[in-house]
Amino acid sequence: MQPGYKDERVWAVAVSLLLPLLTALYGDPLYLGTRYYLLVAGVAIGLSMLIKAPRMFTLGAALAVAATLAGYGLWALSLTRPEGLLGLGHLLSLPGAAVGLVGGALFARRRRSAAVAAFAAGLLFVLLGFGANQMVVCNTLMWCGPLSAPIHG
């Protein structure tokens, strides 16, 4: 039995609630607040529903958003001195994730992808959009440590 849209959305919400729950229990290493985690995940799920993404795409997109937040959280925890504005890099890279989400949904819908392919498209396109925007942000607007290009003078 393949999961339907309702099951997929339940799993997407469950994946999205995992990080806010962990930050409530152990603290927020990015100093963003629980509302930020909920809002970012909610926008990703809502946007994929709004553009009528194929089945399982929303789960892949929600997992990608959770992965970006978890990656930033682990990065913040690995620093010897906490960076208060590290979350700003995540915030400024979200437009790329949104473009990746829309592009991936259109790609998967146009190809009439199977559920596994739509899941992979949601995951990969959101991560690629986020990563591309991250490289632009880290090399133009702010210093992101190892993600920024070295300065030669």
Side-chain angles (χ1 to χ4, degrees), residues 83-137:
E83 299 283 340
L85 293 176
L86 192 59
L88 185 61
H90 189 274
L91 176 67
L92 293 175
S93 297
L94 287 177
V99 169
L101 189 144
V102 171
L106 293 175
F107 174 79
R109 198 168 64 195
R110 184 174 228 197
R111 293 212 171 239
R112 300 179 199 263
S113 300
V116 174
F119 173 82
L123 184 69
L124 292 175
F125 274 80
V126 172
L127 288 176
L128 287 173
F130 183 86
N133 199 20
Q134 182 74 61
M135 290 301 117
V136 171
V137 166

Side-chain angles (χ1 to χ4, degrees), residues 12-24 28 32-46 65 69 90 94:
V13 169
V15 165
S16 299
L17 289 176
L18 188 61
L19 281 174
L21 178 65
L22 289 173
T23 59
D28 186 3
L32 294 172
T34 306
R35 282 182 243 146
Y36 179 80
Y37 294 95
L38 294 173
L39 183 65
V40 170
V43 167
I45 292 170
V65 168
L69 285 165
H90 189 274
L94 287 177

Side-chain angles (χ1 to χ4, degrees), residues 6-59:
K6 185 177 178 184
D7 298 331
E8 173 207 7
R9 290 177 186 147
V10 168
W11 280 105
V13 169
V15 165
S16 299
L17 289 176
L18 188 61
L19 281 174
L21 178 65
L22 289 173
T23 59
L25 292 174
Y26 298 109
D28 186 3
L30 297 175
Y31 308 107
L32 294 172
T34 306
R35 282 182 243 146
Y36 179 80
Y37 294 95
L38 294 173
L39 183 65
V40 170
V43 167
I45 292 170
L47 185 59
S48 64
M49 289 171 58
L50 182 68
I51 58 177
K52 295 180 174 72
R55 191 167 44 86
M56 298 304 289
F57 182 90
T58 305
L59 180 58

